[in-house]
Amino acid sequence: MVEWTDAERTAIIGLWGKLNIDEIGPQALSRCLIVYPWTQRYFSTFGNLSSPAAIMGNAKVAAHGRTVMGGLERAIKNMDNIKATYAALSVMHSEKLHVDPDNFKLLADCITVCAAMKFGPSGFNADIQEAWQKFLSVVVSALGRQYH
Amino acid sequence: MIPVAEDIGSEALLRMFTTFPKTKTYFSHLDISPNSDHLRCHGKKIVQALAEGARNISTLATTLAPLSRFHAYLLRIHPTNFKLLNHCILVTLACHMGDNFTPVAHAAIDKFLSAFSAVLAEKFR
């Protein structure tokens, strides 16, 4: 069971409340596909990913970014039981999507960078970063848990 | 970037020590509390070394040879820690650059930091 301090809970929920998930989802996913190009392997049906501009303008990428943030919302709402909440999602990523779980961390890092860009050094200070990254690492771990 | 070397470097280190507490184990000989002289001085050294590498980007292995020996034979830092500091440098830059930290800039800096770390770790064995 993950233990969250009151400070961590406040930081995570506070940050989530200030995020615009329709904005950050597309930003984070397109950043992931640009900065870590091998992640494009999972999106061959998404059309034109041939350049950063193409990726950033791709409607399917944007839609999928919003889907990912919807998934993250479930973790926010079930912070004390992320493992169970994500069990089916983990199975899907393993059995159906065949995603290498090492890539989940890359998307998590891109979400972190987008939050940093938005909130700056005081809105996203070291303590908030610590709490946020702890939350994302629990999410990443839960997503990879059902792989066998 | 040099005038803000201390600020960026010390902020990146502070973020790393807070987010990944195990990295503090390499600094028991320094005072790494927020805004300490040691933290600012060490942060400045790191950013200056990065700037030096960037100035001679096509000869990283030669430029960094002394630093590479230092990290391998004296500091003996577990190589996974380079990624943690690189990540915190990127987050610090993202905080200060906002929208100017475009995906293309991010990719280029990440690529440079990875190459830099690879040289630092290459003499480990």
Side-chain angles (χ1 to χ4, degrees):
Chain A
M1 246 284 282
V2 183
E3 300 281 337
W4 305 104
T5 65
D6 289 340
E8 283 169 344
R9 247 181 239 276
T10 307
I12 293 161
I13 308 265
L15 195 76
W16 183 261
K18 290 189 272 198
L19 285 175
N20 177 348
I21 63 178
D22 285 335
E23 181 189 71
I24 199 175
Q27 281 172 350
L29 183 58
S30 49
R31 186 168 287 256
C32 188
L33 296 173
I34 294 167
V35 178
Y36 310 110
W38 57 89
T39 56
Q40 292 170 26
R41 75 188 302 284
Y42 303 110
F43 298 93
S44 51
T45 57
F46 274 35
N48 186 5
L49 301 178
S50 59
S51 69
I55 291 169
M56 290 192 281
N58 186 310
K60 284 187 173 177
V61 170
H64 196 71
R66 288 189 284 269
T67 303
V68 167
M69 295 312 280
L72 215 53
E73 177 141 52
R74 286 174 54 205
I76 291 276
K77 295 198 159 122
N78 295 280
M79 269 176 71
D80 292 311
N81 206 0
I82 295 176
K83 205 161 62 179
T85 306
Y86 270 39
L89 211 52
S90 179
V91 170
M92 182 179 86
H93 280 75
S94 163
E95 309 284 290
K96 189 165 161 246
L97 304 175
H98 308 291
V99 180
D100 181 345
D102 288 344
N103 292 306
F104 299 144
K105 189 182 173 316
L106 302 181
L107 181 55
D109 284 348
C110 287
I111 295 170
T112 299
V113 164
C114 289
M117 284 167 65
K118 188 176 169 80
F119 298 119
S122 44
F124 195 69
N125 63 32
D127 292 320
I128 295 175
Q129 180 185 347
E130 186 272 333
W132 181 247
Q133 293 210 213
K134 180 174 168 179
F135 168 69
L136 287 179
S137 68
V138 171
V139 165
V140 162
S141 167
L143 261 184
R145 206 161 184 286
Q146 303 299 328
Y147 280 61
H148 64 94
Chain B
M1 225 175 118
I2 296 298
V4 299
E6 262 184 34
D7 297 319
I8 300 284
S10 57
E11 186 180 326
L13 281 171
L14 180 65
R15 285 179 184 279
M16 184 182 71
F17 294 142
T18 312
T19 309
F20 310 108
K22 66 181 183 108
T23 54
K24 292 190 289 190
T25 57
Y26 294 98
F27 293 89
S28 51
H29 60 295
L30 292 182
D31 165 21
I32 49 171
S33 52
N35 261 314
S36 73
D37 287 339
H38 285 172
L39 190 71
R40 297 190 67 77
C41 176
H42 202 75
K44 186 174 173 179
K45 267 192 229 175
I46 291 175
V47 172
Q48 285 179 333
L50 287 169
E52 179 73 24
R55 273 196 290 276
N56 304 284
I57 204 167
S58 35
T59 55
L60 269 182
T62 325
T63 311
L64 298 180
L67 261 186
S68 181
R69 279 191 294 275
F70 185 56
H71 281 75
Y73 304 131
L74 277 151
L75 297 179
R76 286 170 296 184
I77 295 177
H78 192 295
T80 50
N81 293 297
F82 295 131
K83 290 197 176 109
L84 303 182
L85 181 57
N86 288 347
H87 171 72
C88 290
I89 291 169
L90 291 171
V91 169
T92 303
L93 290 174
C95 279
H96 289 275
M97 290 170 66
D99 288 339
N100 290 326
F101 194 62
T102 62
V104 173
H106 177 169
I109 297 173
D110 187 41
K111 183 174 170 179
F112 169 66
L113 291 174
S114 304
F116 195 98
S117 316
V119 170
L120 284 185
E122 84 185 350
K123 295 185 166 56
F124 276 39
R125 55 183 167 178

